[in-house]
Amino acid sequence: MTLSRNWLGSLIVAAITVSATTASAAKVFTILVGEKGTPALENAEKLANGETVFAENKIHKALGKFEEIAKGCPICPQPRVYNMPDPKCDLDPATFCEVNIKVAGGEFAGKGGKGSFEIPGIIATEVTLRLLGGYDDTFKTRNPFNTPTMIQGFVMDGKNHALRELTISGFFMDTQGTNTHAGHVTLGYLKTNRLVFADNTFVNGGLGGIAPLIRAKTPEAEVVVRNNFFINNRVTMEADCAGWQNTCKLYTIEGNSFLGNHPLNPDPTSGTTAAMFIKENKRVGKVLVAGNLFVYNPGGAINPHGPNDKGPIELKDNLFFENGDLFGEKAPGAAAIVVKWGGFKSDKIPWNLISLDLIEDDYEWKNSGNVALDPKITFDAPKGGWASSYDVKATAGTENKIRSLVGANLKGTSLTPTNAWGPKKFDPTTLPFPQEPKAVKYGVDPKRVEQF
C-alpha cells in the first residue's frame, strides 16, 4: 500500500461534563481535548462552566483529571488481601461513575513530547472509563477514519488496578518514530468486567499491537475487539483471559481488518507467525471471530494455541485472502489457520497449514459463511525474501568438532532475509478499504463508529 501523508494540522481538545450528581442517577463525566490555538479548544472552553464541563489542552492532563474524579466516586469494598475474592457490595449501580474523555482529531505527542499516554493505574471497580478519539471541532460527531486522532499508544503500568469498564476507541496508533519495539496498548492485567477496543487503527507495532489480557471481575466478563485496522505489525493481537478468580464469558473479535501483518521472525520455522493468536483454554468460555478481513498476512491468519480443534472458537463470515506467503502458499484461502498439532506440512516447516476448505471439511471448530476472495485492496503486501533457519549449515572445522563434543551449538552459515519487518508511513485519512463489491461487508466500516 502506497500512502502519502496529507495532514492539515494538529488538533487536540479536552473537557469534562458531569450530567447528574444525585443518588438516583449515574454520575456522567465527558472529556473533550484540544491543542492551544485550535477551534476545538475554543469550543471546549465555551462549553466549560466549572461544574459540568472542564477544558484541558493535553490528553495527559485529561487523564489526570479522570484520576481526580475517579477517586471521588463510590466504589465497592475491596478485599483486604490482594487477589482474594471481593466482599459483598450493596451500592446502587445508578450511583456509579462514567468518565468519557473525548478527543478532537489531531496529532498528539505524549507527556514531554514523546511516548505513550499513561492511564492511571487505580482501583476504581465501579468506574467506567471511555477514551474516545476522532471528534470534530464541535465535539458533536466523530469519524476517526476521516478525522483521526493520532497517538503512539496507551499504557497502564503495574498489575493491581481495576475499572468497571474500559473502552479505547477512535485512535490512530503508530509506534513509528518513538519505540518501534513496543505494542500500542499495554494494560497490565486490568481487572474489569468489560474491555472494548473499537474503531482504532494500529500500525507499525514492532513487537505487539494489543494483548487484551484482563482479570475477569465476574463470570460475565467480556472483551470486544471491533471495527479496528491492524496494519504492518508483528505479533498483532492475542486473545486471552488471565487465570484468576473468574473466567471471561465471551471474547468477540468482529469486523476488523488484518492487513500485511508480519511474523515475529521472517522464518517459516519461527514459533510466532500468524496475525492473530487465540489461547484455547478454560479461561475463555467462547471466542467469536466474525466478519473480519484477513489479507496478505504472510504467516497465516489465525493461530489457535491449544491441543486440538475442540476449543471454544467460532469462525463466522470472515474473508481470507493470500495469507500464506511465508510458507510458499499461494491459494486465496491458504493458511487461514496455522497450528502446531495435527501433523506437520514438512520437516522444514513445523506447521500444519489449514486452508479454508479444509476447515470446513476436516476440523470441528464451529464455522459458517467464511469466504476466500480478492477484496481488491490497494496495498503493498509483504512478499518473498524469507529465510528458513533449516537452511543454515554447520561449517566444517576443529572449532565445531570441539563444540559438538561438549554439546554446544554449532557455528554455521548465515542467511539474510530481504523482507524483514520495518515501519512504514501511512496516511491516516486514506486507509485500505475493499473495492470489490462482494468484499465491502467484511472488515472495518466507518458507519459502525459509535457516537457517544
Side-chain angles (χ1 to χ4, degrees), residues 400 403-404 407-411:
N400 265 350
R403 296 176 69 86
S404 179
N409 291 332
L410 304 183
K411 292 185 176 181

Side-chain angles (χ1 to χ4, degrees), residues 139-172:
F139 298 100
K140 293 181 179 179
T141 62
R142 68 184 188 119
N143 187 344
F145 302 115
N146 284 334
T147 312
T149 299
M150 301 172 62
I151 65 172
Q152 178 181 328
F154 291 104
V155 61
M156 180 179 278
D157 288 331
K159 293 185 177 181
N160 189 15
H161 42 258
L163 292 169
R164 181 179 179 82
E165 298 182 16
L166 172 62
T167 293
I168 298 176
S169 174
F171 293 91
F172 182 97

Side-chain angles (χ1 to χ4, degrees), residues 290-368:
N292 300 285
L293 186 150
F294 297 92
V295 178
Y296 303 139
N297 302 290
I302 303 170
N303 174 208
H305 283 208
N308 52 47
D309 59 333
K310 302 183 188 298
I313 299 174
E314 178 178 355
L315 305 174
K316 181 180 180 181
D317 300 330
N318 300 286
L319 183 151
F320 300 88
F321 186 71
E322 293 192 5
N323 291 293
D325 190 72
L326 178 69
F327 310 104
E329 298 286 341
K330 304 298 183 182
I337 300 285
V338 294
V339 295
K340 286 284 188 177
W341 46 264
F344 295 159
K345 181 177 176 62
S346 74
D347 292 337
K348 290 188 176 182
I349 305 176
W351 286 100
N352 189 16
L353 309 178
I354 307 172
S355 63
L356 187 57
D357 58 334
L358 287 178
I359 294 175
E360 297 176 353
D361 294 340
D362 293 2
Y363 293 89
E364 296 188 29
W365 288 296
K366 187 176 181 180
N367 70 90
S368 62

